[in-house]
């Protein structure tokens, strides 16, 4: 029966894509409003597409170089599976495609959301949210389509091993991890490039427009305002789409690989198959239940911020509750060994995701005390706003870290059958908990992609002069979007922690295949014992490579991994600073040289600002992204397998905490400014407002560039390590 159940996976992917197309068509039937609204939307759309075209050219060249490298390794030196170069390309292609389709939708939806808000708050929310749902459904639909396609293909072309019947599924799942690297590589470029773009424009618009010129946000007199709106799309839509595509695929692929590995020493191929397809089925059913949740989102006209948050929570909570029931049903139907406890491990993953989301909401929403206190600190100037924001961000790491730690322990304990020595099944439990966390990604990403659509709608309403009532509605939708975006980032970072652990375990399985490909059949243990490689456990490999804290290569790798998180953040923060400096100079030049801008008699040169952001992002994104690819390769060549494991552990632990700190601090600074703009502590134009604008400016690269890029860094280093495992085991300096 399990073989028939598998077909739910491709069927669900097609359903998601059909619904995405339906929501897109429904959105396109809405009016963009006045000719001026259409003109503004067209400027943003053209700028976004132009940027994306340039980015894909650069990324395409890098992909070409990597494909050549993988081809040489696969066909020249037999260090990799021959399918690796092709799989790598498909992962990158679908990751880029999901970002492109999501952004295309968002750029058409913003003016339509602003126009819908002229009628009612509920209509504006519905248009924005269902447009965001296009992104959510495209990501999960393309992700599962790619996974099911590669599984069916590899199952057909890879022959069974009569001496080791369980080896086939291990080969299939580890090969499929390769397209996860393609997705991660594309996602990192999209996140870093989009983050630099949007923050360069945002900083220029805020510092010169708001603080120096004293004009409102999204005022058409600000030369950087179109670039700012473009940036929301390339960073928070295309970047986030590619980011969560690779998170989604990575968690499913890593867990399937762990499921295959857990039964490699047995001859129970049927149970191994069930463990492989279980995460795919949970994700597939999650798509159907996300769709139900999407249709349940609505609100009322006089809704407060808490009411709006509750409106979105109804959809996400409904999907989460239904996936719990569905998970137990799926695993019971499969009759997977220890299915009841594994189902509870999935529930643990869901609960961890909910806790992280609620924690992020508490620390970043202006509806709660921490952000309100942050706003109040503006009474004593920008310095105290920055100090308080950093402190808030540091404190906010506590709950997510504790939640993830508890989630790791519980999921491991449950899946191992309460036997902590059963490492293989315990690690499988951690992986399937990550799948549980991301199972309702369809609606979770919809709430995230909704944010930049609402933000752009507010900008369009301001530039089109739609009036105070409409602006009030779009401001409410925008503030909600800030919180959902922060929650989405927290969610992505939390899933990265669990997925990173699963990928770390998958790395060991790739080491097994790498050694086999080199002709090694046994492990010579330190005590003189010999263990057949196909029978060796996770613990056996740890012993063979001396992966202990007393091994200096492991310690060296851990320090390098921790350093990578900070180095990466430093490089991307400085990149934003340099690009923003050019934007600030340009905006000041236009105010100075183009007479009549501030009086509304002359139109700013929007295209010049868009060009500056585009060039800055394209130039600055390459080095940090390539560094993430190079670091695991160099570490492996110098310190070998123990060094790489240390690198991944160090990068995961430091990167996870640092990412939460940066995302939450940035989100809190942003909403602290919004809280003042709502009329608190003197409102717009006050000294407190100026102080919080400075805080928001500091927080912009925190929350939209460096912080969210870290979760991709964590997984990309793991993916690169997995793909380059053959090279690492064949040669290293130590």
């Amino acid at each position: 029966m399990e073989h028939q159940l598998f077909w739910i996976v491709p069927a669900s992917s097609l359903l998601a894509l059909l619904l995405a197309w339906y929501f897109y068509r429904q959105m396109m039937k809405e009016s963009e409003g006045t000719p001026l609204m259409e003109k503004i939307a067209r400027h943003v759309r053209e700028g976004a597409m132009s940027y994306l075209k340039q980015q894909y050219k650069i990324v395409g060249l890098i992909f070409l170089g990597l494909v050549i490298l993988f081809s040489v390794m696969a066909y020249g030196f037999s260090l990799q599976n021959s399918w690796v170069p092709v799989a790598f390309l498909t992962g990158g292609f679908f990751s880029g495609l999901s970002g492109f389709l999501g952004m295309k939708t968002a750029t058409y939806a913003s003016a339509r959301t602003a126009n819908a808000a002229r009628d009612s708050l509920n209509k504006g929310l519905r248009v924005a949210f269902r447009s965001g749902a296009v992104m959510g459904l495209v990501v999960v639909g393309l992700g599962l389509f790619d996974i099911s396609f590669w599984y069916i293909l590899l199952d057909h072309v890879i022959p069974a091993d009569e001496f080791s019947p369980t080896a086939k599924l291990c080969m299939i799942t580890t090969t499929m991890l390769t397209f996860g690297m393609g997705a991660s590589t594309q996602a990192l470029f999209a996140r870093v490039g989009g983050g630099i773009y949007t923050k360069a424009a945002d900083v220029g618009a805020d510092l010169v427009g708001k603080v120096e010129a004293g004009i409102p946000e999204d005022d058409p007199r600000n030369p950087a305002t179109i670039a700012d709106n473009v940036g929301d799309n390339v960073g928070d839509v295309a970047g986030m789409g590619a980011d969560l595509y690779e998170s989604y695929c990575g968690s499913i692929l890593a867990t399937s690989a762990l499921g295959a590995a857990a039964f490699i020493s047995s001859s129970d191929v049927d149970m191994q198959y069930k463990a492989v397809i279980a995460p795919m089925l949970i994700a597939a059913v999650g798509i159907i239940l996300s769709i139900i949740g999407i249709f349940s989102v609505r609100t009322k006209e006089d809704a407060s911020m808490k009411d709006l948050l509750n409106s979105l929570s109804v959809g996400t909570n409904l999907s989460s509750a239904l996936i719990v029931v569905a998970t137990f049903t799926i695993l019971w139907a499969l009759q997977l060994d220890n299915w009841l406890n594994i189902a509870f491990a999935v529930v643990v993953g869901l609960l961890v995701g909910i806790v992280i989301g609620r924690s992020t909401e508490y620390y970043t929403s202006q509806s709660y005390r921490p952000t309100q206190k942050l706003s109040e600190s503006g009474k004593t100037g920008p310095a105290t706003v920055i100090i308080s924001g950093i402190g808030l961000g540091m404190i906010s790491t506590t709950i997510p870290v504790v939640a993830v730690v508890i989630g790791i322990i519980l999921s491991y304990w449950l899946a191992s059958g309460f036997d902590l020595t059963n490492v293989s099944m315990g690690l499988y439990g951690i992986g399937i908990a990550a799948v549980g966390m991301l199972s309702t990604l369809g609606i979770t990403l919809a709430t995230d992609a909704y944010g930049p659509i609402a933000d752009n709608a507010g900008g369009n309403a301001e530039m089109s002069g739609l009036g105070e009532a409409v602006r009030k509605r779009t401001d409410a939708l925008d503030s909600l979007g800030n919180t959902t975006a922060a929650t989405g980032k927290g969610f992505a970072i939390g899933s990265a922690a669990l997925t990173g652990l699963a990928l770390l375990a998958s790395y060991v399985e790739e080491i097994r295949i790498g050694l086999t490909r080199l002709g090694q059949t046994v492990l010579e243990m330190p005590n003189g014992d010999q263990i057949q490689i196909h029978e060796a456990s996770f613990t056996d490999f740890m012993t063979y490579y001396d992966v202990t804290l007393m091994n200096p290569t492991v310690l060296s790798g851990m320090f390098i991994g921790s350093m990578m998180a900070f180095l990466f953040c430093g490089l991307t923060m400085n990149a934003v600073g340099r690009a923003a400096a050019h934007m600030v100079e340009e905006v000041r030049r236009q105010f100075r040289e183009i007479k009549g801008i501030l009086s509304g008699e002359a139109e700013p040169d929007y295209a010049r600002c868009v060009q500056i952001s585009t060039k800055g992002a394209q130039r600055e994104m390459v080095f940090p992204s390539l560094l993430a690819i190079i670091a695991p390769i160099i570490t492996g060549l110098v310190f070998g397998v123990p060094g790489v494991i240390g690198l991944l552990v160090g990068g995961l632990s430091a990167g996870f905490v640092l990412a939460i700190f940066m995302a939450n601090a940035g989100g809190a600074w942003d909403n602290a400014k919004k809280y003042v703009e709502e009329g608190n502590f003197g409102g717009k134009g006050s000294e407190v407002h100026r102080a919080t604008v400075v805080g928001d400016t500091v927080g912009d690269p925190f929350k939209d560039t460096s912080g969210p890029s870290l979760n991709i860094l964590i997984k990309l280093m793991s993916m690169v390590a997995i793909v380059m495992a053959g090279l690492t085991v064949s040669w290293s300096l130590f």
Side-chain angles (χ1 to χ4, degrees):
M1 184 181 71
E2 57 268 17
H3 291 277
Q4 284 73 41
L5 285 173
F6 169 79
W7 292 102
I8 296 174
V9 179
S12 295
S13 72
L14 294 175
L15 176 64
L17 294 172
L18 284 171
L19 260 292
W21 178 81
Y22 169 76
F23 285 141
Y24 177 78
R25 297 302 304 167
Q26 289 295 110
M27 178 271 294
M28 291 297 289
K29 289 178 182 177
E30 298 285 339
S31 171
E32 277 196 302
T34 66
L36 180 57
M37 293 172 72
E38 290 179 4
K39 179 184 175 184
I40 293 165
R42 187 169 61 254
H43 278 309
V44 173
R45 189 157 51 248
E46 288 171 356
M49 291 304 173
S50 175
Y51 168 80
L52 215 57
K53 188 184 295 183
Q54 292 298 317
Q55 178 177 280
Y56 286 167
K57 284 181 181 177
I58 294 172
V59 175
L61 291 173
I62 292 168
F63 264 71
L64 178 62
L66 289 171
V67 166
I68 292 171
L69 173 64
F70 297 151
S71 299
V72 171
M73 290 178 63
Y75 308 123
F77 299 99
S78 300
L79 295 174
Q80 286 176 343
N81 188 293
S82 57
W83 289 99
V84 164
V86 185
F88 172 76
L89 277 178
T90 64
F93 173 77
F94 281 112
S95 177
L97 182 62
S98 63
F100 171 81
L101 293 175
M103 196 180 75
K104 185 179 176 69
T105 303
T107 55
Y108 277 107
S110 56
R112 289 171 167 82
T113 299
N115 191 57
R118 297 167 76 184
D119 295 335
S120 71
L121 184 65
N122 184 56
K123 189 176 180 182
L125 176 66
R126 191 182 75 246
V127 172
F129 182 72
R130 292 197 176 177
S131 300
V134 174
M135 165 66 89
L137 293 172
V138 162
V139 165
V140 296
L142 289 178
L144 273 192
F145 177 81
D146 203 7
I147 288 170
S148 49
F149 166 79
W150 272 104
Y151 181 83
I152 294 167
L153 175 65
L154 294 174
D155 184 51
H156 181 71
V157 299
I158 294 178
D161 189 335
E162 59 180 304
F163 300 105
S164 181
T166 53
K168 179 178 177 178
L169 276 173
C170 286
M171 181 65 71
I172 290 172
T173 52
T174 50
T175 303
M176 288 170 68
L177 277 170
T178 311
F179 85 72
M181 181 189 166
S184 294
T185 303
Q186 164 60 33
L188 191 62
F189 279 102
R191 252 311 186 192
V192 173
I196 294 170
Y197 184 110
T198 184
K199 292 308 105 182
D202 205 0
V203 169
D206 282 357
L207 283 185
V208 186
K210 285 185 181 179
V211 177
E212 295 181 10
I215 58 178
E217 187 170 9
D218 297 318
D219 193 296
R221 294 172 292 176
N222 194 327
T225 191
I226 294 291
D228 188 10
N229 284 320
V230 170
D232 290 334
N233 289 288
V234 299
D236 290 337
V237 179
M240 177 60 84
D243 177 355
L244 285 173
Y245 177 90
E246 68 90 24
S247 292
Y248 186 71
C249 291
S251 66
I252 297 169
L253 294 170
T255 307
S256 293
L258 290 172
F263 294 92
I264 193 169
S265 58
S266 72
S267 57
D268 195 345
V269 179
D270 288 338
M271 194 58 65
Q272 186 188 39
Y273 177 77
K274 292 174 183 178
V276 167
I277 67 167
M280 301 181 193
L281 286 171
I282 292 168
V285 174
I287 288 178
I288 299 168
L289 302 179
S290 290
I291 292 168
I292 295 171
I294 289 166
F295 279 107
S296 68
V297 173
R298 55 181 56 86
T299 191
K300 55 188 179 182
E301 182 55 34
D302 57 344
S304 66
M305 182 55 59
K306 284 190 175 179
D307 292 333
L308 287 169
L309 283 168
N310 287 334
S311 297
L312 295 186
S313 296
V314 165
T316 53
N317 291 340
L318 177 62
S319 299
S320 298
L322 291 172
I323 195 67
V324 170
V325 177
T327 296
F328 281 87
T329 307
I330 290 166
L331 295 178
W332 171 80
L334 283 175
Q335 286 299 297
L336 184 65
D337 281 350
N338 195 29
W339 69 267
L340 186 61
N341 286 338
I342 292 173
F344 278 116
V346 176
V347 175
V348 167
L350 268 170
L351 291 174
V352 170
I354 291 168
V355 169
I356 291 174
R358 291 284 181 246
S359 168
T360 305
E361 182 183 317
Y362 174 73
Y363 281 107
T364 60
S365 173
Q366 65 263 48
S367 300
Y368 299 100
R369 191 64 178 153
T371 298
Q372 292 173 2
K373 289 280 289 182
L374 181 58
S375 298
E376 190 176 358
S377 70
K379 291 179 178 179
T380 49
T384 47
V385 171
I386 293 167
I387 292 168
S388 299
I390 290 172
L392 183 154
M394 288 178 172
I395 292 169
S396 73
T397 63
T398 306
I399 295 174
V401 169
V402 170
V404 166
V405 168
I406 293 172
I408 289 169
I409 297 297
L410 282 178
S411 57
Y412 185 104
W413 185 61
L414 286 162
S416 66
F418 314 113
D419 178 11
L420 295 181
T421 61
N422 188 359
V423 178
S424 296
M425 286 306 297
L427 292 170
Y428 181 72
I430 294 172
I432 210 159
V435 173
M437 187 184 290
L438 292 169
S439 58
T440 55
L441 184 64
I443 188 169
T444 306
L445 186 50
T447 63
D448 200 345
Y450 152 88
I453 293 172
D455 192 354
N456 270 213
N460 196 302
E462 178 71 35
M463 287 186 282
S464 304
L466 294 186
E468 190 63 31
V470 178
R471 186 63 180 163
K472 186 178 178 182
R473 289 169 186 158
T474 57
D475 279 348
L477 295 174
D478 184 19
S479 293
L480 174 64
N482 283 335
T483 301
T484 60
T487 303
K489 290 181 180 77
F491 197 80
I493 294 163
S495 70
L498 296 180
T499 304
L501 274 174
L503 287 170
L504 180 59
S506 298
Y507 174 64
V508 176
E509 291 310 309
E510 190 63 37
I511 292 296
R512 185 198 309 270
I513 292 172
L515 290 171
T516 304
R517 193 172 285 117
L518 291 171
Q520 189 171 334
T521 57
V522 297
L523 297 180
E524 295 278 353
M525 307 303 285
N527 62 1
D529 291 346
Q530 290 190 341
I531 299 174
Q532 294 292 320
I533 282 182
H534 69 274
E535 295 178 352
S537 66
F538 186 89
T539 307
D540 291 331
F541 279 100
M542 295 296 100
T543 304
Y544 177 73
Y545 283 109
D546 188 26
V547 182
T548 66
L549 290 177
M550 295 299 102
N551 186 337
T553 58
V554 176
L555 282 172
S556 299
M558 289 176 67
F559 278 115
I560 294 170
S562 302
M563 176 270 294
M564 278 293 300
F566 285 88
L567 175 61
F568 184 81
C569 284
L571 290 170
T572 50
M573 291 279 288
N574 284 337
V576 170
R578 285 189 293 270
H582 291 301
M583 184 63 72
V584 167
E585 290 170 3
E586 174 60 21
V587 175
R588 285 173 177 168
R589 183 194 68 80
Q590 292 198 31
F591 279 149
R592 187 174 61 250
E593 296 180 6
I594 304 176
K595 306 300 181 185
I597 287 183
L598 288 174
S599 61
E601 298 169 2
E603 185 175 275
D605 186 356
Y606 299 124
R608 176 63 182 158
C609 292
V610 170
Q611 188 182 27
I612 287 172
S613 271
T614 301
K615 283 186 176 179
Q618 304 293 343
R619 184 174 58 250
E620 299 282 3
M621 74 176 183
V622 175
F623 180 66
S625 302
L626 285 178
L627 190 66
I629 297 171
I630 293 167
I633 300 174
I634 299 290
T635 304
L637 291 174
V638 177
F639 296 117
V641 171
V644 173
I645 292 174
L647 174 84
L648 301 183
V649 170
L652 175 60
S653 53
F656 171 54
V657 180
L658 185 59
I660 292 173
F661 155 65
M662 299 188 83
N664 286 356
W669 273 316
D670 194 351
N671 281 333
K673 177 198 68 178
K674 295 281 186 198
Y675 187 67
V676 176
E677 290 175 345
E678 289 169 1
N680 301 289
F681 306 118
K684 291 182 180 179
S686 66
E687 288 301 318
V688 176
H689 183 229
R690 289 174 180 270
T692 55
V693 169
V694 173
D696 178 37
T697 304
V698 174
D700 276 337
F702 270 53
K703 68 180 175 66
D704 289 327
T705 308
S706 300
S709 298
L710 278 170
N711 71 79
I712 308 173
L713 176 76
I714 292 167
K715 289 168 290 186
L716 179 57
M717 289 200 301
S718 299
M719 290 291 188
V720 173
I722 289 169
V723 172
M724 305 303 291
L727 180 64
T728 305
V729 297
S730 65
W731 192 90
S732 65
L733 188 61
F734 293 103

